[in-house]
Amino acid sequence: MPSRTLAVATVATVAAVAAALTASLQPADAATAGEVLFDDFAYTSSSDPRLAQRGWTVRSGGGGPGVPGAVWDPSLVTFPTVDGDQVLRLESSNDGTSARQTELYHQRKFHEGTYGARVHFTDVPVRGIDGDHVVQTFFTITPLDAPMDPDYGELDFEYLPNGGWGVPTNVLFTTTWETYQNEPWVADNIHTEQRAGFAGWHDLVIQVASGRVKYYVDGVLFADHGDRYYPETPMSINFNLWFIAGGLVGQPGDRAYQEHVDWVYFAESEVVSPAEVTTRVNDYRTSGVSHVDTVR
């Protein structure tokens, strides 16, 4: 609101505006929902033109993270029917040396609000030997414009079924980033971990509001981060599956891992409970709606 208007506003008007702003960051039902993204991943293939039309990019080419020289392969991003629903499938493979990795990401326009996705993590490869340090994810991110860029932001769910990063067993990380630099490596973040198996379907929710970032797994609070780690700028929504550099089993032979995503949801400037996220998604599906995007 312009300062000139504030100068003549009545106390009642200011109070009403404050109440409205506070309400926008409180739990709300579908009837009061504002700008949202919902996608049920009802696509034919990674070359389906509706993906790009709806703001999605199937990553190709090279670059990190992952095994040096790895290729991001769009052909390994598919949309099969699994457990009765059409899903996004990421399948990444390696031969003990080189790797083919997968990623799907949305445009950068998401900040405060509630993020949700139903994700299927796996503990074992769909073919080949087990043991590679593989990372299965749902995350948001802002590009790093320079080393230790203060406007960088990243909110991560990362499942490592075979461990990695100094952890010897399967582990789920949630990490909230302030910033980082590559050379020499400096990471400024806060994380919460649980060393346990998370194979199977899970409802993952991130609430970003009022200086706090809260992560939920199947409706249970998993982590509460914030303070200087709170994201300052819009982010993209991402899913990827990749192999940690130096983490491949030293044995040749083709092997592959999969991650599935049933749906993704975002409600701008709303703190939506995990149960309400599920209700809203089910309402869309019952109504035959497979995609909505009113976020600008």
Side-chain angles (χ1 to χ4, degrees), residues 121-125 130-137 158-164 167-173 196-199 241-244 257-259:
F121 295 130
T122 54
D123 276 352
V124 297
D130 198 0
D132 295 319
H133 289 174
V134 60
V135 184
Q136 305 169 26
T137 75
E158 296 172 308
Y159 181 53
L160 284 61
N162 296 320
V167 178
T169 185
N170 43 15
V171 58
L172 178 64
F173 287 103
F198 282 86
L241 181 60
W242 53 280
F243 301 97
I244 297 174
Y257 292 81
Q258 292 180 349
E259 173 185 351

Coordinates of all heavy atoms in Angstrom, one line a residue, residues 121-125 130-137 158-164 167-173 196-199 241-244 257-259:
F121 N 9.8 -43.5 -3.0 CA 11.2 -43.7 -3.0 C 11.5 -45.2 -3.1 O 10.6 -46.0 -2.7 CB 11.8 -43.2 -1.6 CG 11.7 -41.7 -1.4 CD1 11.2 -41.2 -0.3 CD2 12.2 -40.9 -2.4 CE1 11.2 -39.8 -0.1 CE2 12.2 -39.5 -2.2 CZ 11.6 -39.0 -1.1
T122 N 12.7 -45.6 -3.5 CA 13.0 -47.0 -3.7 C 14.3 -47.3 -3.0 O 15.2 -46.4 -3.0 CB 13.1 -47.4 -5.1 OG1 14.0 -46.5 -5.8 CG2 11.7 -47.3 -5.8
D123 N 14.4 -48.5 -2.4 CA 15.7 -48.9 -1.7 C 16.6 -49.7 -2.6 O 17.8 -49.9 -2.3 CB 15.3 -49.7 -0.5 CG 15.0 -48.8 0.7 OD1 15.2 -47.6 0.6 OD2 14.6 -49.4 1.7
V124 N 16.1 -50.4 -3.6 CA 16.9 -51.3 -4.5 C 16.7 -50.9 -5.9 O 15.7 -50.3 -6.4 CB 16.4 -52.7 -4.3 CG1 16.6 -53.2 -2.8 CG2 14.9 -52.9 -4.6
P125 N 17.7 -51.3 -6.7 CA 17.6 -51.0 -8.2 C 16.6 -51.8 -8.8 O 16.3 -52.9 -8.4 CB 19.0 -51.3 -8.7 CG 19.6 -52.3 -7.7 CD 19.0 -51.9 -6.4
D130 N 23.2 -53.7 -6.4 CA 22.8 -52.6 -5.5 C 24.1 -52.0 -4.9 O 25.2 -52.5 -5.0 CB 21.9 -53.2 -4.4 CG 21.1 -52.2 -3.7 OD1 21.3 -51.0 -4.0 OD2 20.4 -52.5 -2.8
G131 N 23.9 -50.8 -4.2 CA 25.0 -50.2 -3.4 C 25.4 -48.9 -3.8 O 26.1 -48.2 -3.1
D132 N 25.1 -48.4 -5.0 CA 25.5 -47.0 -5.5 C 24.9 -46.0 -4.5 O 23.7 -46.1 -4.1 CB 25.0 -46.8 -6.9 CG 25.7 -47.7 -7.9 OD1 26.9 -47.9 -7.8 OD2 25.1 -48.1 -8.8
H133 N 25.6 -44.9 -4.3 CA 25.1 -43.8 -3.6 C 24.2 -42.9 -4.5 O 24.7 -42.1 -5.3 CB 26.2 -42.9 -3.0 CG 26.9 -43.6 -1.9 ND1 28.1 -43.1 -1.3 CD2 26.7 -44.8 -1.2 CE1 28.5 -43.9 -0.3 NE2 27.6 -45.0 -0.3
V134 N 22.9 -43.2 -4.4 CA 21.9 -42.5 -5.3 C 21.1 -41.6 -4.5 O 20.8 -41.8 -3.3 CB 21.1 -43.6 -6.0 CG1 20.3 -44.4 -5.0 CG2 20.1 -42.9 -7.0
V135 N 20.6 -40.4 -5.1 CA 19.9 -39.4 -4.4 C 18.5 -39.3 -5.1 O 18.5 -39.0 -6.3 CB 20.6 -38.1 -4.4 CG1 19.8 -37.0 -3.5 CG2 22.0 -38.2 -3.8
Q136 N 17.4 -39.4 -4.3 CA 16.1 -39.3 -4.9 C 15.4 -38.1 -4.2 O 15.5 -38.0 -3.0 CB 15.3 -40.6 -4.5 CG 15.9 -41.8 -5.1 CD 15.3 -43.1 -4.6 OE1 14.1 -43.2 -4.2 NE2 16.1 -44.2 -4.5
T137 N 14.9 -37.2 -5.0 CA 14.6 -35.8 -4.4 C 13.2 -35.3 -4.8 O 12.5 -35.7 -5.7 CB 15.6 -34.8 -5.0 OG1 15.3 -34.5 -6.3 CG2 17.0 -35.3 -4.9
E158 N 15.7 -35.1 0.4 CA 16.7 -36.0 -0.3 C 16.7 -37.4 0.4 O 17.1 -37.4 1.6 CB 18.0 -35.4 -0.4 CG 18.1 -34.1 -1.2 CD 19.4 -33.4 -1.1 OE1 19.9 -33.1 0.1 OE2 20.0 -33.0 -2.1
Y159 N 16.4 -38.4 -0.4 CA 16.5 -39.8 0.2 C 17.6 -40.5 -0.4 O 17.8 -40.6 -1.6 CB 15.2 -40.5 0.0 CG 15.2 -41.9 0.6 CD1 15.5 -42.1 1.9 CD2 14.9 -43.0 -0.2 CE1 15.5 -43.4 2.5 CE2 14.9 -44.3 0.3 CZ 15.2 -44.5 1.7 OH 15.2 -45.8 2.2
L160 N 18.5 -41.0 0.4 CA 19.7 -41.8 0.0 C 19.5 -43.2 0.5 O 19.9 -43.5 1.7 CB 21.0 -41.2 0.6 CG 21.5 -39.9 0.0 CD1 20.5 -38.7 0.0 CD2 22.8 -39.5 0.6
P161 N 19.0 -44.1 -0.3 CA 18.7 -45.5 0.2 C 20.0 -46.3 0.5 O 19.9 -47.2 1.3 CB 18.0 -46.1 -1.0 CG 18.4 -45.4 -2.2 CD 18.6 -44.0 -1.7
N162 N 21.1 -45.9 0.0 CA 22.4 -46.6 0.3 C 23.4 -45.8 1.0 O 24.6 -46.1 1.1 CB 23.0 -47.1 -1.0 CG 22.2 -48.2 -1.7 OD1 21.6 -49.0 -1.1 ND2 22.1 -48.1 -3.1
G163 N 22.9 -44.7 1.6 CA 23.7 -43.8 2.3 C 24.6 -42.9 1.4 O 24.4 -42.9 0.2
G164 N 25.5 -42.2 2.0 CA 26.3 -41.2 1.3 C 26.5 -40.0 2.1 O 25.9 -39.8 3.2
V167 N 27.2 -40.8 5.7 CA 26.2 -41.6 6.4 C 26.3 -43.0 5.8 O 26.1 -43.2 4.6 CB 24.8 -41.0 6.2 CG1 23.8 -41.9 6.9 CG2 24.8 -39.6 6.8
P168 N 26.4 -44.1 6.7 CA 26.6 -45.4 6.1 C 25.4 -46.2 5.8 O 25.5 -47.3 5.2 CB 27.4 -46.1 7.3 CG 26.9 -45.4 8.5 CD 26.7 -44.0 8.1
T169 N 24.2 -45.6 6.1 CA 23.0 -46.4 6.0 C 21.9 -45.5 5.3 O 22.2 -44.3 4.9 CB 22.4 -46.8 7.3 OG1 21.3 -47.7 7.1 CG2 22.1 -45.7 8.2
N170 N 20.8 -46.1 5.0 CA 19.7 -45.3 4.3 C 19.3 -44.1 5.2 O 19.2 -44.2 6.4 CB 18.5 -46.1 3.9 CG 18.1 -47.1 4.9 OD1 18.4 -47.0 6.1 ND2 17.3 -48.1 4.5
V171 N 19.1 -43.0 4.6 CA 18.8 -41.7 5.3 C 17.9 -40.8 4.5 O 18.1 -40.7 3.3 CB 20.1 -41.1 5.7 CG1 21.0 -40.7 4.5 CG2 19.9 -39.8 6.6
L172 N 17.0 -40.1 5.2 CA 16.3 -39.0 4.6 C 16.8 -37.7 5.2 O 16.8 -37.5 6.4 CB 14.8 -39.2 4.9 CG 13.9 -38.1 4.3 CD1 13.9 -38.1 2.8 CD2 12.4 -38.3 4.8
F173 N 17.2 -36.8 4.3 CA 17.6 -35.4 4.7 C 16.6 -34.4 4.3 O 16.0 -34.5 3.2 CB 18.9 -35.0 3.9 CG 20.1 -35.7 4.4 CD1 20.7 -36.8 3.6 CD2 20.8 -35.4 5.5 CE1 21.9 -37.4 4.0 CE2 22.0 -36.0 5.9 CZ 22.5 -37.0 5.2
A196 N 16.8 -44.1 8.4 CA 15.8 -45.2 8.4 C 15.4 -45.4 7.0 O 15.7 -44.6 6.1 CB 14.6 -44.8 9.2
G197 N 14.7 -46.5 6.7 CA 14.3 -46.8 5.3 C 13.0 -46.0 5.1 O 12.0 -46.0 5.9
F198 N 12.9 -45.4 3.9 CA 11.7 -44.7 3.5 C 11.2 -45.2 2.1 O 10.5 -44.4 1.4 CB 11.9 -43.2 3.4 CG 11.9 -42.5 4.8 CD1 13.1 -42.5 5.5 CD2 10.8 -41.9 5.3 CE1 13.1 -41.9 6.8 CE2 10.8 -41.3 6.5 CZ 11.9 -41.3 7.3
A199 N 11.4 -46.4 1.8 CA 10.9 -47.0 0.5 C 9.4 -47.0 0.6 O 8.8 -47.2 1.6 CB 11.5 -48.4 0.4
L241 N 16.9 -37.4 -9.9 CA 17.5 -38.7 -9.5 C 18.9 -38.8 -10.0 O 19.1 -38.8 -11.2 CB 16.6 -39.9 -10.0 CG 17.0 -41.3 -9.6 CD1 17.0 -41.5 -8.1 CD2 16.0 -42.3 -10.3
W242 N 19.9 -38.8 -9.1 CA 21.3 -38.7 -9.5 C 22.2 -39.5 -8.6 O 21.8 -39.9 -7.5 CB 21.7 -37.2 -9.6 CG 21.5 -36.4 -8.4 CD1 20.3 -35.9 -8.0 CD2 22.5 -36.1 -7.4 NE1 20.5 -35.2 -6.8 CE2 21.8 -35.3 -6.4 CE3 23.8 -36.3 -7.3 CZ2 22.5 -34.7 -5.3 CZ3 24.5 -35.8 -6.2 CH2 23.8 -35.0 -5.2
F243 N 23.4 -39.7 -9.1 CA 24.4 -40.5 -8.3 C 25.5 -39.6 -7.8 O 26.0 -38.7 -8.5 CB 25.0 -41.5 -9.2 CG 24.0 -42.5 -9.8 CD1 23.5 -42.3 -11.1 CD2 23.6 -43.6 -9.1 CE1 22.6 -43.2 -11.6 CE2 22.7 -44.5 -9.6 CZ 22.1 -44.3 -10.9
I244 N 25.9 -39.8 -6.5 CA 26.9 -39.0 -5.9 C 28.3 -39.3 -6.5 O 28.7 -40.4 -6.6 CB 26.9 -39.2 -4.4 CG1 25.6 -38.8 -3.8 CG2 28.1 -38.5 -3.7 CD1 25.5 -39.1 -2.3
Y257 N 18.0 -47.2 -11.0 CA 17.0 -46.9 -9.9 C 15.9 -46.0 -10.5 O 16.0 -45.3 -11.4 CB 17.8 -46.1 -8.8 CG 18.8 -46.9 -8.1 CD1 20.1 -47.1 -8.6 CD2 18.5 -47.6 -6.9 CE1 21.1 -47.8 -8.0 CE2 19.5 -48.3 -6.2 CZ 20.8 -48.4 -6.7 OH 21.7 -49.2 -6.1
Q258 N 14.8 -46.1 -9.8 CA 13.6 -45.3 -10.2 C 13.0 -44.6 -9.0 O 13.1 -45.0 -7.8 CB 12.5 -46.2 -10.7 CG 12.8 -46.9 -12.0 CD 11.7 -47.8 -12.6 OE1 10.7 -48.1 -11.8 NE2 11.8 -48.2 -13.8
E259 N 12.4 -43.4 -9.3 CA 11.6 -42.6 -8.4 C 10.3 -42.3 -9.1 O 10.4 -41.9 -10.3 CB 12.4 -41.3 -7.9 CG 11.5 -40.4 -7.1 CD 12.2 -39.1 -6.8 OE1 13.5 -38.9 -7.1 OE2 11.6 -38.1 -6.3

